[in-house]
Amino acid sequence: MSIYRELLFTPQCFLCARLGKPVCIDCHLQLKPFSTKRLAGITQVNCASEYSGWLRETLITYKNGNLRVVPALAQILLKTLEVRETNFPLQVIPIPSSIAKIHERGYDSMAKLCGEMRLQKKGLLLCQGALYLRRDVRDQVGLTARERAANLAGAFTARQNFSGTVVIVDDVVTTGATLTNAAYALRIAGAQSIFAITLCGSPDPR
């Protein structure tokens, strides 16, 4: 995070109000980060925690318009990124929201979090708009694993060419359909090594 931002706006933990960081060390230790099983085309998927507790509730409020939690969620994603050895600059690619969701919320949820990550950490190359949905997709909530796979099959296309390592950023991984199809589009575009980080997830996507 820029020193000027910290001087002008002293951050405080959004959970306990302790000054210093958007999420203090003690509150962050409540999370239980893990790696899911390997998904097709992705070397590793790291999740900040399971889809439960205060992180789940915070993510829900964010999707419902609470933008005050953006610095905290971005910090959590950066901590999740740090669990692997990273060479910078690093290409970071947010999973795009559908046009309908952007109109409903007024913002692209993952693009906004990745933008905040870039403010907090030097060396991140935000590739906003690099992935886009080439067709309408259904809301994934309530769909079975098979329905999710069919819903997202061939849905993503890359707008630019890539090389080297890229990191996909999403909010939740459940069956892995979103990340798998996004990775497929990125490999076609030239990405050679693909990792993913998410805020929440299932330890064993199924």
Side-chain angles (χ1 to χ4, degrees):
M1 180 182 292
S2 165
I3 187 172
Y4 299 108
R5 292 184 75 201
E6 295 208 9
L7 288 173
L8 290 172
F9 308 102
T10 302
Q12 65 180 50
C13 178
F14 83 107
L15 282 171
C16 68
R18 182 180 300 174
L19 296 178
K21 293 289 184 181
V23 182
C24 73
I25 293 176
D26 289 342
C27 289
H28 195 97
L29 287 175
Q30 296 176 31
L31 301 177
K32 298 186 180 347
F34 62 91
S35 297
T36 71
K37 71 176 184 181
R38 185 172 296 184
L39 299 176
I42 302 178
T43 301
Q44 188 172 338
V45 182
N46 294 326
C47 304
S49 195
E50 293 189 29
Y51 190 56
S52 61
W54 65 259
L55 184 54
R56 173 183 179 275
E57 298 305 316
T58 302
L59 180 55
I60 290 173
T61 67
Y62 171 55
K63 288 186 172 183
N64 288 331
N66 181 9
L67 299 182
R68 291 177 298 175
V69 299
V70 167
L73 294 180
Q75 179 191 316
I76 291 168
L77 284 168
L78 286 171
K79 287 289 186 182
T80 307
L81 183 61
E82 289 174 1
V83 301
R84 61 175 296 270
E85 292 185 8
T86 304
N87 294 319
F88 294 98
L90 184 65
Q91 301 168 100
V92 174
I93 303 171
I95 290 292
S97 299
S98 67
I99 297 299
K101 286 296 184 183
I102 294 174
H103 286 166
E104 176 186 333
R105 294 175 181 147
Y107 53 92
D108 185 322
S109 58
M110 296 317 301
K112 182 172 282 295
L113 290 184
C114 287
E116 177 64 23
M117 288 172 64
R118 184 179 59 177
L119 292 176
Q120 293 187 24
K121 179 73 174 180
K122 292 182 179 179
L124 296 184
L125 300 178
L126 174 57
C127 303
Q128 184 172 346
L131 276 178
Y132 74 97
L133 288 166
R134 62 195 301 180
R135 60 175 174 79
D136 291 335
V137 295
R138 297 165 59 190
D139 193 319
Q140 297 277 81
V141 177
L143 299 185
T144 65
R146 180 174 296 180
E147 290 170 337
R148 287 174 182 239
N151 185 41
L152 288 166
F156 293 103
T157 298
R159 280 196 172 101
Q160 65 187 70
N161 294 326
F162 289 93
S163 63
T165 300
V166 302
V167 176
I168 307 172
V169 184
D170 202 3
D171 53 358
V172 181
V173 55
T174 306
T175 64
T178 300
L179 295 178
T180 298
N181 283 281
Y184 178 75
L186 292 171
R187 285 202 176 276
I188 290 177
Q192 296 160 328
S193 181
I194 300 174
F195 291 81
I197 58 172
T198 72
L199 289 166
C200 303
S202 169
D204 185 14
R206 61 177 79 238

